[in-house]
Coordinates of all heavy atoms in Angstrom, one line a residue:
F1 N 131.5 80.3 236.9 CA 131.9 79.4 238.0 C 130.9 78.3 238.1 O 129.7 78.5 238.2 CB 132.0 80.2 239.3 CG 132.4 79.4 240.5 CD1 133.7 78.8 240.6 CD2 131.5 79.1 241.5 CE1 134.0 78.0 241.6 CE2 131.8 78.3 242.6 CZ 133.1 77.8 242.6
L2 N 131.4 77.1 238.2 CA 130.6 75.9 238.3 C 130.9 75.2 239.6 O 131.9 74.4 239.7 CB 130.8 75.0 237.1 CG 130.0 73.7 237.1 CD1 128.5 73.9 237.0 CD2 130.5 72.9 235.9
P3 N 130.1 75.4 240.7 CA 130.3 74.6 241.9 C 129.9 73.2 241.7 O 128.9 72.9 241.1 CB 129.4 75.3 242.9 CG 128.4 76.0 242.2 CD 129.0 76.3 240.8
C4 N 130.7 72.3 242.2 CA 130.4 70.9 242.0 C 131.2 70.0 243.1 O 132.0 70.5 243.8 CB 130.8 70.4 240.6 SG 132.4 71.0 240.2
C5 N 130.8 68.8 243.1 CA 131.4 67.8 244.0 C 131.6 66.5 243.3 O 130.8 66.1 242.5 CB 130.7 67.7 245.3 SG 129.6 66.3 245.5
F6 N 132.6 65.8 243.7 CA 132.9 64.5 243.1 C 133.4 63.6 244.2 O 134.4 63.8 244.8 CB 134.0 64.6 242.0 CG 134.4 63.3 241.3 CD1 133.5 62.8 240.4 CD2 135.5 62.7 241.7 CE1 133.9 61.6 239.8 CE2 135.9 61.5 241.1 CZ 135.0 60.9 240.1
S7 N 132.6 62.6 244.5 CA 133.0 61.8 245.7 C 133.1 60.3 245.3 O 133.6 59.5 246.1 CB 132.0 61.9 246.8 OG 130.8 61.4 246.4
G8 N 132.6 59.9 244.1 CA 132.5 58.5 243.8 C 131.3 57.8 244.5 O 131.1 56.6 244.3
Q9 N 130.5 58.5 245.2 CA 129.4 58.0 245.9 C 128.1 58.6 245.4 O 128.2 59.7 244.9 CB 129.5 58.3 247.4 CG 130.7 57.7 248.1 CD 130.7 56.2 248.1 OE1 129.7 55.6 248.3 NE2 131.8 55.6 247.8
P10 N 127.0 57.9 245.5 CA 125.7 58.5 245.0 C 125.4 59.8 245.7 O 125.7 60.0 246.8 CB 124.7 57.4 245.3 CG 125.4 56.2 245.5 CD 126.8 56.6 246.0
I11 N 124.8 60.7 244.9 CA 124.3 62.0 245.5 C 123.1 61.7 246.3 O 122.2 61.0 245.9 CB 124.0 63.0 244.4 CG1 125.3 63.4 243.7 CG2 123.4 64.3 244.9 CD1 125.1 64.2 242.5
A12 N 123.0 62.3 247.5 CA 121.9 62.1 248.5 C 120.5 62.5 248.0 O 119.6 61.7 248.1 CB 122.2 62.7 249.8
P13 N 120.3 63.7 247.4 CA 119.0 64.1 247.0 C 118.4 63.2 245.9 O 119.1 62.6 245.1 CB 119.1 65.5 246.5 CG 120.5 65.9 246.6 CD 121.3 64.7 247.1
L14 N 117.1 63.1 245.9 CA 116.4 62.3 244.9 C 116.4 63.2 243.6 O 116.0 64.3 243.6 CB 114.9 62.1 245.3 CG 114.1 61.4 244.2 CD1 114.6 60.0 243.9 CD2 112.6 61.3 244.7
L15 N 117.0 62.6 242.5 CA 117.1 63.3 241.2 C 116.0 62.8 240.3 O 115.9 61.6 240.1 CB 118.5 63.1 240.6 CG 119.6 63.5 241.6 CD1 121.0 63.2 240.9 CD2 119.5 64.9 241.9
H16 N 115.1 63.7 239.8 CA 113.9 63.3 239.2 C 114.0 62.9 237.7 O 113.1 62.4 237.1 CB 112.8 64.4 239.3 CG 112.4 64.5 240.7 ND1 113.0 65.5 241.6 CD2 111.5 63.9 241.5 CE1 112.4 65.3 242.8 NE2 111.5 64.4 242.7
F17 N 115.1 63.2 237.1 CA 115.3 63.0 235.6 C 116.5 62.1 235.4 O 117.5 62.2 236.1 CB 115.5 64.3 234.9 CG 114.4 65.3 235.2 CD1 114.6 66.3 236.1 CD2 113.2 65.2 234.5 CE1 113.6 67.3 236.4 CE2 112.2 66.2 234.8 CZ 112.4 67.2 235.7
S18 N 116.4 61.2 234.4 CA 117.5 60.3 234.1 C 117.4 59.8 232.7 O 116.3 59.7 232.1 CB 117.6 59.2 235.1 OG 116.4 58.4 235.1
T19 N 118.6 59.4 232.1 CA 118.6 58.8 230.8 C 120.0 58.1 230.6 O 121.0 58.5 231.2 CB 118.4 59.8 229.7 OG1 118.2 59.1 228.5 CG2 119.5 60.8 229.6
F20 N 120.0 57.1 229.8 CA 121.2 56.5 229.3 C 121.8 57.4 228.2 O 121.0 57.9 227.4 CB 121.1 55.1 228.8 CG 120.9 54.1 229.9 CD1 119.6 53.6 230.2 CD2 122.0 53.6 230.6 CE1 119.4 52.6 231.2 CE2 121.8 52.7 231.6 CZ 120.6 52.2 231.9
L21 N 123.1 57.6 228.2 CA 123.7 58.5 227.2 C 124.4 57.7 226.1 O 124.9 58.3 225.1 CB 124.8 59.3 227.9 CG 124.3 60.3 229.0 CD1 125.4 61.1 229.5 CD2 123.2 61.2 228.4
D22 N 124.3 56.4 226.1 CA 124.9 55.6 225.1 C 124.1 54.4 224.7 O 123.2 53.9 225.5 CB 126.3 55.1 225.5 CG 126.3 54.2 226.7 OD1 125.4 54.4 227.6 OD2 127.0 53.2 226.7
P23 N 124.2 53.8 223.5 CA 123.4 52.7 223.1 C 123.6 51.4 223.9 O 122.7 50.6 223.9 CB 123.7 52.5 221.6 CG 124.9 53.4 221.3 CD 125.1 54.3 222.5
S24 N 124.8 51.2 224.5 CA 125.0 50.0 225.2 C 124.6 50.1 226.7 O 124.8 49.2 227.5 CB 126.5 49.6 225.1 OG 127.3 50.7 225.7
N25 N 124.0 51.2 227.1 CA 123.5 51.5 228.5 C 124.6 51.3 229.5 O 124.4 50.8 230.6 CB 122.3 50.6 228.8 CG 121.1 50.9 228.0 OD1 121.0 51.9 227.4 ND2 120.2 49.9 227.9
M26 N 125.8 51.9 229.2 CA 126.9 51.9 230.2 C 127.1 53.2 230.9 O 127.8 53.3 231.9 CB 128.2 51.5 229.5 CG 128.1 50.1 228.8 SD 128.1 48.8 230.0 CE 129.8 48.8 230.5
V27 N 126.5 54.3 230.3 CA 126.6 55.6 230.9 C 125.2 56.1 231.2 O 124.4 56.3 230.4 CB 127.4 56.6 229.9 CG1 127.5 57.9 230.6 CG2 128.7 56.0 229.5
Y28 N 125.0 56.4 232.5 CA 123.7 56.8 233.0 C 123.7 58.1 233.7 O 124.5 58.3 234.6 CB 123.1 55.7 234.0 CG 121.7 55.7 234.2 CD1 120.7 55.7 233.2 CD2 121.2 55.8 235.5 CE1 119.4 55.7 233.5 CE2 119.8 55.8 235.8 CZ 118.9 55.8 234.8 OH 117.6 55.8 235.0
L29 N 122.9 59.0 233.3 CA 122.9 60.4 233.8 C 121.6 60.6 234.6 O 120.5 60.4 234.1 CB 123.0 61.4 232.7 CG 123.0 62.9 233.1 CD1 124.2 63.2 234.0 CD2 122.9 63.8 231.9
H30 N 121.7 61.1 235.8 CA 120.6 61.6 236.7 C 120.8 63.1 236.8 O 121.9 63.6 237.0 CB 120.6 60.9 238.1 CG 120.6 59.5 238.1 ND1 119.5 58.7 238.2 CD2 121.6 58.6 238.1 CE1 119.8 57.5 238.2 NE2 121.1 57.3 238.2
W31 N 119.7 63.8 236.9 CA 119.8 65.3 237.1 C 118.5 65.8 237.7 O 117.4 65.2 237.6 CB 120.2 66.0 235.8 CG 119.2 66.2 234.8 CD1 118.3 67.2 234.6 CD2 118.8 65.2 233.8 NE1 117.5 67.0 233.6 CE2 117.7 65.8 233.0 CE3 119.3 64.0 233.4 CZ2 117.2 65.1 232.0 CZ3 118.7 63.3 232.4 CH2 117.7 63.9 231.6
D32 N 118.6 67.0 238.2 CA 117.5 67.7 238.7 C 117.9 69.2 239.0 O 119.1 69.5 238.8 CB 116.9 67.1 240.0 CG 115.4 67.3 240.2 OD1 114.9 68.3 239.6 OD2 114.8 66.6 241.0
H33 N 117.0 70.0 239.4 CA 117.3 71.4 239.8 C 116.5 71.8 241.0 O 115.4 71.2 241.2 CB 117.1 72.4 238.6 CG 115.7 72.4 238.1 ND1 114.7 73.2 238.7 CD2 115.1 71.7 237.2 CE1 113.6 73.0 238.1 NE2 113.8 72.1 237.1
D34 N 117.0 72.8 241.8 CA 116.2 73.2 242.9 C 115.5 74.5 242.6 O 115.5 75.0 241.4 CB 117.1 73.4 244.1 CG 118.2 74.4 243.9 OD1 118.1 75.3 243.0 OD2 119.2 74.4 244.7
K35 N 114.8 75.2 243.6 CA 114.0 76.4 243.3 C 114.9 77.5 242.8 O 114.4 78.4 242.2 CB 113.3 76.8 244.6 CG 112.2 75.8 244.9 CD 111.5 76.1 246.2 CE 110.5 75.1 246.6 NZ 109.8 75.3 247.8
Q36 N 116.2 77.6 243.1 CA 117.1 78.6 242.7 C 117.7 78.3 241.3 O 118.6 78.9 240.9 CB 118.2 78.9 243.7 CG 117.7 79.5 245.0 CD 117.1 78.4 245.9 OE1 117.5 77.3 245.9 NE2 116.1 78.9 246.7
E37 N 117.2 77.2 240.7 CA 117.7 76.7 239.4 C 119.2 76.2 239.5 O 119.9 76.1 238.5 CB 117.6 77.8 238.3 CG 116.2 78.2 238.0 CD 115.3 77.0 237.5 OE1 115.7 76.3 236.7 OE2 114.1 77.0 238.0
M38 N 119.6 75.8 240.7 CA 120.9 75.1 240.8 C 120.8 73.7 240.3 O 119.9 72.9 240.7 CB 121.4 75.1 242.3 CG 122.6 74.3 242.5 SD 124.1 75.0 241.8 CE 124.3 76.4 242.9
M39 N 121.6 73.3 239.3 CA 121.5 72.0 238.7 C 122.4 71.0 239.5 O 123.5 71.3 240.0 CB 122.0 72.0 237.3 CG 121.2 72.9 236.3 SD 119.5 72.3 236.1 CE 119.8 70.7 235.3
I40 N 121.9 69.8 239.6 CA 122.6 68.7 240.3 C 122.7 67.5 239.3 O 121.7 67.2 238.7 CB 121.9 68.2 241.6 CG1 121.8 69.4 242.6 CG2 122.6 67.0 242.2 CD1 120.9 69.1 243.7
F41 N 123.9 67.0 239.1 CA 124.1 65.9 238.2 C 124.7 64.7 238.9 O 125.6 64.9 239.7 CB 125.0 66.3 237.0 CG 124.4 67.4 236.1 CD1 124.7 68.7 236.3 CD2 123.6 67.0 235.1 CE1 124.1 69.7 235.5 CE2 123.1 68.0 234.2 CZ 123.3 69.3 234.5
E42 N 124.4 63.5 238.5 CA 125.1 62.3 238.9 C 125.3 61.5 237.7 O 124.3 61.2 237.0 CB 124.2 61.5 239.9 CG 124.9 60.3 240.4 CD 124.1 59.4 241.3 OE1 123.0 59.9 241.8 OE2 124.4 58.2 241.5
L43 N 126.5 61.2 237.4 CA 126.9 60.4 236.2 C 127.4 59.0 236.7 O 128.4 59.0 237.5 CB 128.0 61.1 235.4 CG 128.4 60.5 234.1 CD1 127.2 60.5 233.1 CD2 129.6 61.2 233.5
Q44 N 126.7 58.0 236.3 CA 127.2 56.6 236.6 C 127.7 56.0 235.3 O 127.0 56.0 234.3 CB 126.0 55.8 237.2 CG 125.5 56.4 238.5 CD 124.3 55.6 238.9 OE1 123.8 54.7 238.3 NE2 123.8 55.9 240.1
T45 N 128.9 55.4 235.4 CA 129.5 54.7 234.3 C 130.4 53.6 234.7 O 130.9 53.6 235.8 CB 130.3 55.8 233.4 OG1 130.7 55.1 232.2 CG2 131.4 56.4 234.2
H46 N 130.5 52.6 233.8 CA 131.5 51.6 234.0 C 132.8 52.0 233.3 O 132.8 52.1 232.0 CB 130.9 50.3 233.4 CG 129.7 49.8 234.1 ND1 129.7 49.1 235.2 CD2 128.4 50.0 233.8 CE1 128.4 48.8 235.6 NE2 127.6 49.4 234.7
T47 N 133.8 52.2 234.0 CA 135.1 52.6 233.4 C 136.2 52.1 234.3 O 136.1 51.9 235.5 CB 135.2 54.1 233.2 OG1 136.4 54.4 232.6 CG2 135.1 54.8 234.6
T48 N 137.4 51.9 233.7 CA 138.6 51.5 234.4 C 139.5 52.7 234.5 O 140.6 52.6 235.0 CB 139.3 50.4 233.7 OG1 139.6 50.8 232.4 CG2 138.5 49.1 233.7
G49 N 139.1 53.9 234.1 CA 139.9 55.1 234.2 C 139.2 56.3 234.5 O 138.7 56.4 235.7
G50 N 138.9 57.2 233.6 CA 138.3 58.4 233.9 C 137.0 58.6 233.0 O 136.7 57.8 232.1
V51 N 136.4 59.7 233.2 CA 135.2 60.1 232.4 C 135.2 61.6 232.3 O 135.6 62.3 233.1 CB 133.9 59.5 233.1 CG1 133.7 60.2 234.5 CG2 132.7 59.7 232.3
A52 N 134.6 62.0 231.1 CA 134.4 63.4 230.9 C 133.0 63.7 230.5 O 132.3 62.8 229.9 CB 135.3 63.9 229.7
F53 N 132.5 64.8 230.9 CA 131.1 65.2 230.7 C 131.1 66.6 230.3 O 131.6 67.5 231.0 CB 130.3 64.9 232.0 CG 128.8 65.2 231.9 CD1 128.0 64.4 231.1 CD2 128.2 66.3 232.5 CE1 126.6 64.6 231.0 CE2 126.9 66.5 232.4 CZ 126.1 65.6 231.7
G54 N 130.4 67.0 229.2 CA 130.4 68.3 228.7 C 129.1 69.0 228.5 O 128.0 68.3 228.4
F55 N 129.0 70.3 228.6 CA 127.8 71.1 228.4 C 128.1 72.1 227.3 O 129.1 72.8 227.3 CB 127.5 71.9 229.7 CG 127.4 71.1 230.9 CD1 128.4 70.7 231.7 CD2 126.1 70.6 231.3 CE1 128.3 69.9 232.8 CE2 125.9 69.8 232.4 CZ 127.0 69.5 233.2
S56 N 127.1 72.2 226.4 CA 127.3 73.1 225.3 C 125.9 73.5 224.8 O 125.0 72.7 224.7 CB 128.0 72.4 224.1 OG 127.9 73.1 222.9
P57 N 125.8 74.8 224.4 CA 124.5 75.3 224.0 C 124.1 74.8 222.6 O 123.0 74.7 222.2 CB 124.6 76.8 223.9 CG 126.1 77.1 223.9 CD 126.8 75.9 224.6
R58 N 125.1 74.3 221.8 CA 124.9 73.8 220.5 C 125.3 72.4 220.3 O 125.2 71.8 219.1 CB 125.6 74.7 219.4 CG 125.2 76.1 219.4 CD 126.0 77.0 218.5 NE 127.4 77.0 218.9 CZ 128.0 77.6 220.0 NH1 127.2 78.3 220.7 NH2 129.2 77.6 220.2
G59 N 125.7 71.7 221.3 CA 126.1 70.3 221.2 C 127.4 70.0 220.6 O 127.7 68.9 220.1
E60 N 128.2 71.1 220.5 CA 129.6 71.0 219.9 C 130.6 71.1 221.0 O 130.4 71.7 222.1 CB 129.8 72.1 218.9 CG 128.8 72.1 217.8 CD 128.9 73.3 216.9 OE1 129.7 74.2 217.2 OE2 128.2 73.4 215.9
L61 N 131.8 70.4 220.8 CA 132.9 70.5 221.7 C 133.5 71.9 221.9 O 133.8 72.3 223.0 CB 134.0 69.5 221.3 CG 135.2 69.3 222.3 CD1 134.7 68.9 223.6 CD2 136.2 68.3 221.7
S62 N 133.6 72.6 220.8 CA 134.2 73.9 220.8 C 133.3 74.9 221.7 O 132.1 75.0 221.5 CB 134.2 74.5 219.4 OG 134.7 75.8 219.4
G63 N 133.9 75.5 222.7 CA 133.2 76.4 223.5 C 132.4 75.8 224.6 O 131.7 76.5 225.4
S64 N 132.5 74.5 224.8 CA 131.7 73.8 225.8 C 132.5 73.8 227.2 O 133.6 74.1 227.3 CB 131.5 72.3 225.4 OG 132.7 71.6 225.4
D65 N 131.7 73.6 228.2 CA 132.2 73.4 229.6 C 132.4 72.0 229.8 O 131.4 71.2 229.6 CB 131.3 74.1 230.6 CG 131.2 75.6 230.5 OD1 132.2 76.2 230.2 OD2 130.0 76.0 230.5
I66 N 133.5 71.5 230.3 CA 133.8 70.1 230.5 C 134.2 69.8 231.9 O 135.0 70.5 232.5 CB 134.9 69.7 229.5 CG1 134.5 69.9 228.0 CG2 135.2 68.2 229.7 CD1 135.6 69.7 227.0
V67 N 133.7 68.7 232.4 CA 134.0 68.2 233.7 C 134.7 66.8 233.5 O 134.2 66.0 232.7 CB 132.7 67.9 234.6 CG1 133.1 67.3 235.9 CG2 131.9 69.2 234.7
I68 N 135.9 66.7 234.1 CA 136.7 65.5 233.9 C 137.0 64.9 235.3 O 137.4 65.6 236.2 CB 138.0 65.8 233.2 CG1 137.8 66.3 231.8 CG2 138.9 64.5 233.1 CD1 139.0 66.9 231.1
G69 N 136.8 63.6 235.5 CA 137.1 63.0 236.8 C 137.4 61.5 236.6 O 137.2 60.9 235.6
G70 N 138.0 61.0 237.7 CA 138.3 59.6 237.6 C 139.0 59.1 238.9 O 139.1 59.9 239.9
V71 N 139.6 57.9 238.9 CA 140.3 57.4 240.0 C 141.6 56.9 239.5 O 141.7 56.1 238.5 CB 139.5 56.2 240.6 CG1 140.2 55.6 241.8 CG2 138.1 56.6 241.0
F72 N 142.7 57.3 240.2 CA 144.0 56.8 239.9 C 144.2 55.4 240.4 O 143.4 54.9 241.2 CB 145.1 57.7 240.6 CG 145.3 59.1 240.0 CD1 144.9 60.2 240.7 CD2 145.8 59.2 238.7 CE1 145.1 61.4 240.2 CE2 145.9 60.5 238.2 CZ 145.6 61.6 238.9
P73 N 145.2 54.6 239.9 CA 145.4 53.2 240.3 C 145.6 53.1 241.8 O 145.2 52.1 242.4 CB 146.7 52.8 239.6 CG 146.7 53.7 238.4 CD 146.1 55.0 238.8
N74 N 146.0 54.1 242.5 CA 146.2 54.0 244.0 C 144.9 54.3 244.7 O 144.9 54.3 246.0 CB 147.3 55.0 244.4 CG 147.0 56.4 244.3 OD1 145.9 56.8 243.9 ND2 147.9 57.3 244.6
G75 N 143.8 54.6 244.0 CA 142.5 54.8 244.6 C 142.2 56.3 244.9 O 141.1 56.6 245.3
S76 N 143.1 57.2 244.7 CA 142.8 58.6 244.9 C 142.0 59.2 243.7 O 142.1 58.7 242.6 CB 144.1 59.4 245.1 OG 144.9 59.4 243.9
I77 N 141.2 60.1 244.0 CA 140.2 60.7 243.0 C 140.8 62.0 242.4 O 141.3 62.8 243.2 CB 138.9 60.9 243.7 CG1 138.3 59.6 244.2 CG2 137.9 61.7 242.8 CD1 137.0 59.8 245.0
Y78 N 140.6 62.2 241.1 CA 140.9 63.5 240.5 C 139.7 64.0 239.9 O 138.8 63.3 239.5 CB 142.0 63.4 239.5 CG 141.8 62.5 238.3 CD1 141.2 63.1 237.1 CD2 142.0 61.2 238.3 CE1 141.0 62.3 236.0 CE2 141.8 60.4 237.2 CZ 141.3 61.0 236.1 OH 141.0 60.2 234.9
F79 N 139.6 65.4 239.8 CA 138.4 66.0 239.3 C 138.8 67.4 238.8 O 139.6 68.1 239.5 CB 137.4 66.2 240.5 CG 136.1 66.8 240.1 CD1 135.2 66.1 239.3 CD2 135.8 68.1 240.5 CE1 134.0 66.7 238.9 CE2 134.6 68.7 240.1 CZ 133.7 68.0 239.3
S80 N 138.3 67.8 237.6 CA 138.7 69.1 237.1 C 137.5 69.6 236.3 O 136.7 68.9 235.6 CB 139.9 68.9 236.1 OG 140.2 70.1 235.5
V81 N 137.3 70.9 236.3 CA 136.3 71.6 235.6 C 137.0 72.6 234.7 O 137.9 73.4 235.1 CB 135.3 72.4 236.5 CG1 134.3 73.1 235.6 CG2 134.6 71.4 237.4
S82 N 136.7 72.6 233.4 CA 137.3 73.6 232.5 C 136.3 74.2 231.6 O 135.2 73.8 231.4 CB 138.4 72.9 231.6 OG 137.8 71.9 230.8

């Protein structure tokens, strides 16, 4: 189970780690963890649709956990964890 939130707004806590995920510096990831090892992620990207973010122990799509989110043309937000 992966508890998470998607609001389209910056996450309030200060996140101590960050990096760009692409060579054009359009996808920026911030992350940190608390004393109980709960991970917090904030993904900032320039997009006109949606974005997907995956976690994998070997860096492969097969068997990874994927988070998908975005904004519909009417402004409503969608979010899914698989």
Side-chain angles (χ1 to χ4, degrees):
F1 177 69
L2 178 64
C4 47
C5 98
F6 179 77
S7 69
Q9 300 297 318
I11 295 175
L14 177 62
L15 304 178
H16 293 95
F17 307 99
S18 61
T19 189
F20 284 101
L21 298 179
D22 66 318
S24 60
N25 294 341
M26 299 290 283
V27 182
Y28 196 56
L29 178 66
H30 302 268
W31 74 95
D32 208 341
H33 60 87
D34 62 17
K35 292 178 182 176
Q36 292 79 31
E37 298 297 319
M38 174 68 72
M39 297 294 299
I40 300 170
F41 294 93
E42 177 183 348
L43 185 66
Q44 297 176 354
T45 183
H46 297 275
T47 181
T48 58
V51 65
F53 183 69
F55 302 88
S56 168
R58 295 172 304 283
E60 298 173 357
L61 183 58
S62 178
S64 65
D65 296 316
I66 300 174
V67 179
I68 301 169
V71 180
F72 287 115
N74 68 2
S76 64
I77 296 171
Y78 64 91
F79 183 71
S80 176
V81 179
S82 62

